[in-house]
Amino acid sequence: MKKMTKAKLEEEVERLRMRIAELEHSDKGGSSGDGDPHYREAQYRGIFEASTDAFLIFDMNGVIRDVNPAACKMYGYSREEMIGLTGKDIVHPDYQHLFKEFVKKVAKGDIFSAESVDIHKDGSSFDIEVRGSGIIFNEKPHLLAVVHDLTEHKKIQGELMASLKKFEDIAGSSGDWIWEVDAKGKYTFASGRVEQILGYSPEDLIGKTPFDLMPGEEAARVSGIFERIATEKKAIVDLENWNLSKDGKLVCLLTNGVPLTDEDGNLTGYRGVDKDITKRKRTEEEIRTRNRIAEVFLTIPDDKMYYELMQVFLSSIKSEFGTLGYIDENGALVVPSMTWHMWDQSRTEDKNVVFPREEWGESSWSRCLKEQKTIVSNESSRLTPKGHIAITRHVSQPIVHKGVSIGLIQVANKETDYNDDDIKMLQTIADAVAPVLDARLKRDRAEKELRKHRDHLEELIEERTREITDAKAFTDNVLKNAPVGILVYQKDGQCVSANDLAPDLIGATREQVLGQNLRKIASWQESGMVARAERCLESGESQQMNVSVKTTFGKDIDMDVHFARFRLHEEPHLLLIFSDITNLKRTEKNLKDKAAQLEAANRELEAFAYSVSHDLRAPLRGMDGFSKILLEDYGDKLNTRGKDFARRVRTASQKMSILIDDILKLSRVTQHKIKQETVDLSGLARQTAELFRKIAPQRQAEFVIEDGIVAGGDAHLLSLVLQNLLDNAWKFTQKKEKARIEFGTLSHVDCEIKNTEIPDNETVYFVRDNGAGFETTYADKLFQPFQRLHSETEFEGTGIGLATVQNIIHRHGGKVWAKGKVGKGAVFYFTLGSPDRQDGWKEKMT
Amino acid sequence: MKKKRILLVEDNDDDVILTLRALEENHIGNEVDVVRNGAEALDFLFGRGKYKDRKAGSLPTIVLLDLKLPKVDGLEVLRRIRADERTKFLPVVILTSSSEENDLINGYELGANSYVCKPIEFEEFARAVKQLGLYWLLLNEPISKKVQEEI
């Protein structure tokens, strides 16, 4: 309204000025009466007299020289009273400076315009609007002031404001204010409420555009929208826009407006209402942020979540840089996400993405975590390590859940200072993040644990599977290759499983076997197998038996049968393992028969030996005794020849006596029960050698006896072996000037032996001499009783010794053989049976 | 002093002659009674059969017992001697050709006082018999009848 008044005033002034210009023009032209100064004055005077505005003409000193009637009326003076007054008389003391300015400006030739307060003759003051310009009066330059009384206008304006207030009140929300803009968008009016909202007074806004209040980008956006709407002269509907209040706060306004047009339909401006929806927007944004946070937590997997989350708060807080970290189970701060370029620029050699608690130091973020409070700094940080990006301002916000710091949010380098809103927002974010981060961390930890367990479980399963596979392979293999029949019967007697060999052994097919029920097999019943099977099933006691049966399938078989109970599918089953011992039985019988025969033969031999020892001796004693008596009692009656014959009888009987003794020895050896002892063969050989040396100290004989030869066997018998062999060697070297007799062992691979019948691992013992030797052709005869390769006159002996040796060696499970060459000596080799038995004996001894 | 006598239980004539000769050579040949088998030996000792007229209680000082005897063998004879109250302390020397260990063991088990294997060579045999005779007849002190009864 004020504006409209002002416009009217300006119109008026403009009209006057034009009129003045016209007059001046007519002065110059001088073609008509217009050019006459009197006429001009008369015209001027007419306006002067008629105007409702007060016209006051001042001389250059500011003294009134003329006034019009409107002036008299306005100020309450008569024309005469007013002439001679100065600005001091009619201008309010507070506005004297304006009057001085008026005089100064207009005297210079400028136009002056101002609102001011003047004084009535009665002392009352009133608002005026004044425009000043130069004027020629009485042919001298004077100052003209055209004064418009604003009292009425103010009154109307007051009423208007009251109604506006009423409207604003009615329009309701305290956040609403009313405005008007011109076609260019400049404010021509703003209601008082704006001050509460934006901090600007309505007067501050006049002449500005709404875009002046917005931050750069927002201004560009909104002005663009406004231009489009204005072009089409459309209404502005619910246009949201962000503005900066006078104190720098962001305020969100919801703008609605209608276009204003003149009579010709040209757009003259907009009139509308702005609503402050900052709080709503903040709430919305908070909700959106919270939603986004929840969404991020719910949808983004792994550590990428932290990056996404950081993006949420970076955009919310409008910060360039940020970090998001959590406290791990060891209390260290783990920062899975930083603004990437920050990370790149901040990377220093020693920097790690994990910050162990003991290395936290005294930085702002460590303080923030320890004290659980937000730390804000709008000053450049001086604590950043070398290589770290410059931090101009930053906020550290702990994420606290149930009183424990579980994480850290950091933002930095916002363009403007971090204010309460940012901090509030960040705290809101931290509060929103806390429970979900806690859950997430717990879940991650649980998952980690679970994964560990699962891995372990998988490992166990794998191991178990392998074990089972191995066990199955083992079982399958055993079942397939076992040289026994294996059958499995259910509790009800039904056969449920059979290995390949089982049907073969009893002369059946697999199907026939599987179709059988053990209780219905006649041969089982007859042989007592059913009874054993029942007992085993009932008691779980394993059963073993040997049976000879004719199977259902017609096969005669001797079986060694084992019954065992086991569980299969939670049910007791009977396991039957049987082997075909038909051949074994047959062999056993044969062996028994043989053993009986042998036994009988042995008994005969025993009887024979006994009679030899007893019965053969008596006649010999007779022969010897009577020939002796013959020589003693009747020697004088015998000639030399007769005596020789009697002597020969004696000699023969004595020789036979030796023979009998040797045979008896052999017989005794045969009957001697072999003991198992560890025998020091080297020692025995040495004892024998000593004996020989004592008997014949005159002989030059070298004994070479290997040390430490120990064998398992019967000590008495083995000593007989050595005695006989060494005796043999001693005997056959008696004609040697230097005898050499060796006792030792050989390994089988020695080319000397080449006896293929001897297993590789058996020790071969030998007795070697350099005596008379023998023809290898007769080597086998050496060991037969009474066989001799030399004449009695050459070497005495009965031919029993080597037979005895062979007997003993054979009874030890060994072998004996000989090699020789006439005149070059002989070697006797022998073994003492398998090393297993040898070892067994040795172990027994130790 | 009562005359000491030897009972020779021997079925082999040769051995009887050779034994007697060996004893004679040592001047103890006259005090020998000879029986030819085990049954006869038992009859002689217990005064039965053809010896029932033999004065009861006149036991020999020593019995030289062969083992291999017809009818009742030497070991059985020994067993019966030891089983009888009258003869259980009677010195018995087994004089045999057998050098079988079993015979030896059995002989001693049944209570033989000595076991002598007859050497085949006569000279050795004679020496053995002589020593036996000297020991048992002259050196050994038997339990007197009176003491035996008291026991």
Side-chain angles (χ1 to χ4, degrees), chain A residues 609-611 613-615 617-622 624-626 628-629 632-633 650 653-654 657 660 664 668, chain B residues 12-15 17-18 21 25 66-68 96-101 103 117-123 125:
Chain A
Y610 187 80
S611 66
S613 81
H614 205 245
D615 297 351
R617 274 170 195 243
L620 282 176
R621 199 161 39 249
D624 185 60
F626 291 118
K628 169 95 189 318
I629 294 166
E632 278 176 11
D633 293 5
R650 287 199 72 189
S653 65
Q654 279 163 13
S657 163
I660 288 169
L664 273 178
R668 272 193 210 114
Chain B
N12 188 315
D13 282 342
D14 288 354
D15 279 353
I17 294 169
L18 289 173
R21 183 180 166 93
E25 274 181 8
D66 191 13
L67 288 182
K68 212 167 174 226
T96 176
S97 303
S98 171
S99 56
E100 280 301 304
E101 211 169 293
D103 286 341
C117 193
K118 293 182 212 164
I120 286 173
E121 248 178 289
F122 178 71
E123 278 164 9
F125 178 72

Side-chain angles (χ1 to χ4, degrees), chain A residues 759-783:
Chain A
D760 287 352
N761 50 359
E762 282 190 21
T763 309
V764 176
Y765 308 86
F766 70 90
V767 173
R768 186 185 288 132
D769 66 63
N770 61 346
F774 59 89
E775 278 181 62
T776 305
T777 329
Y778 303 120
D780 289 346
K781 286 197 168 179
L782 281 172
F783 300 102

Side-chain angles (χ1 to χ4, degrees), chain A residues 4-17:
Chain A
M4 288 157 79
T5 320
K6 198 174 172 185
K8 219 188 244 170
L9 189 66
E10 273 172 1
E11 260 171 46
E12 188 70 12
V13 173
E14 194 57 26
R15 197 163 47 81
L16 283 169
R17 289 176 69 85

Side-chain angles (χ1 to χ4, degrees), chain A residues 19-20 22-24 26-27 33-50 55 57 65-66 79 135-140 142:
Chain A
R19 185 69 194 129
I20 290 161
E22 258 171 47
L23 289 172
E24 280 172 353
S26 56
D27 277 353
D34 291 352
D36 178 2
H38 297 288
Y39 172 74
R40 224 166 44 213
E41 201 180 311
Q43 273 205 334
Y44 168 78
R45 180 76 40 201
I47 296 164
F48 191 78
E49 296 295 333
F55 279 55
I57 296 170
R65 289 300 164 203
D66 195 6
R79 185 170 173 247
I135 194 167
I136 304 296
F137 181 70
N138 291 339
E139 293 169 5
K140 279 180 195 157
H142 278 73

Side-chain angles (χ1 to χ4, degrees), chain A residues 672-820:
Chain A
H672 184 92
K673 272 206 175 145
I674 289 193
K675 289 181 209 150
Q676 297 185 343
E677 300 162 294
T678 299
V679 187
D680 175 10
L681 293 181
S682 299
L684 281 176
R686 279 197 195 93
Q687 284 171 19
T688 311
E690 279 309 302
L691 201 68
F692 290 153
R693 283 213 186 91
K694 270 184 195 161
I695 293 169
Q698 75 285 359
R699 271 188 63 178
Q700 285 215 356
E702 182 194 2
F703 282 93
V704 181
I705 294 164
E706 191 179 309
D707 278 329
I709 304 177
V710 174
D714 186 290
H716 170 64
L717 293 183
L718 290 182
S719 78
L720 280 181
V721 166
L722 278 181
Q723 274 168 28
N724 272 302
L725 289 176
L726 291 169
D727 188 46
N728 218 47
W730 182 252
K731 196 161 69 188
F732 288 102
T733 53
Q734 62 189 337
K735 289 173 182 165
K736 276 271 168 190
E737 209 168 296
K738 272 191 166 178
R740 181 186 161 89
I741 297 172
E742 291 172 65
F743 171 60
T745 57
L746 288 172
S747 82
H748 179 252
V749 287
D750 255 293
C751 53
E752 186 178 359
I753 316 164
K754 284 191 182 143
N755 186 328
T756 49
E757 290 169 39
I758 306 298
D760 287 352
N761 50 359
E762 282 190 21
T763 309
V764 176
Y765 308 86
F766 70 90
V767 173
R768 186 185 288 132
D769 66 63
N770 61 346
F774 59 89
E775 278 181 62
T776 305
T777 329
Y778 303 120
D780 289 346
K781 286 197 168 179
L782 281 172
F783 300 102
Q784 290 170 18
F786 310 115
Q787 289 284 344
R788 293 175 48 88
L789 297 182
H790 300 88
S791 72
E792 185 107 1
T793 46
E794 241 183 323
F795 299 103
E796 58 188 18
T798 55
I800 295 294
L802 289 178
T804 306
V805 166
Q806 177 171 267
N807 185 291
I808 293 172
I809 296 297
H810 283 179
R811 292 189 64 206
H812 276 80
K815 283 194 162 58
V816 58
W817 68 102
K819 265 164 71 174

Side-chain angles (χ1 to χ4, degrees), chain B residues 37-127:
Chain B
N37 60 57
E40 200 184 337
L42 292 173
D43 285 349
F44 178 90
L45 287 173
F46 298 121
R48 304 181 306 209
K50 66 177 180 181
Y51 296 101
K52 72 171 181 248
D53 298 331
R54 226 174 63 84
K55 203 161 81 187
S58 63
L59 287 173
T61 312
I62 176 88
V63 178
L64 297 179
L65 180 66
D66 191 13
L67 288 182
K68 212 167 174 226
L69 295 169
K71 296 183 184 173
V72 181
D73 76 13
L75 289 174
E76 180 59 21
V77 172
L78 176 59
R79 209 175 55 73
R80 297 218 196 148
I81 289 172
R82 289 289 175 254
D84 195 289
E85 278 299 317
R86 289 165 291 176
T87 55
K88 71 176 177 186
F89 293 119
L90 182 65
V92 175
V93 173
I94 293 173
L95 186 65
T96 176
S97 303
S98 171
S99 56
E100 280 301 304
E101 211 169 293
N102 274 347
D103 286 341
L104 244 159
I105 293 167
N106 287 334
Y108 278 121
E109 251 178 19
L110 290 171
N113 297 76
S114 289
Y115 190 103
V116 177
C117 193
K118 293 182 212 164
I120 286 173
E121 248 178 289
F122 178 71
E123 278 164 9
E124 279 179 45
F125 178 72
R127 207 178 303 135

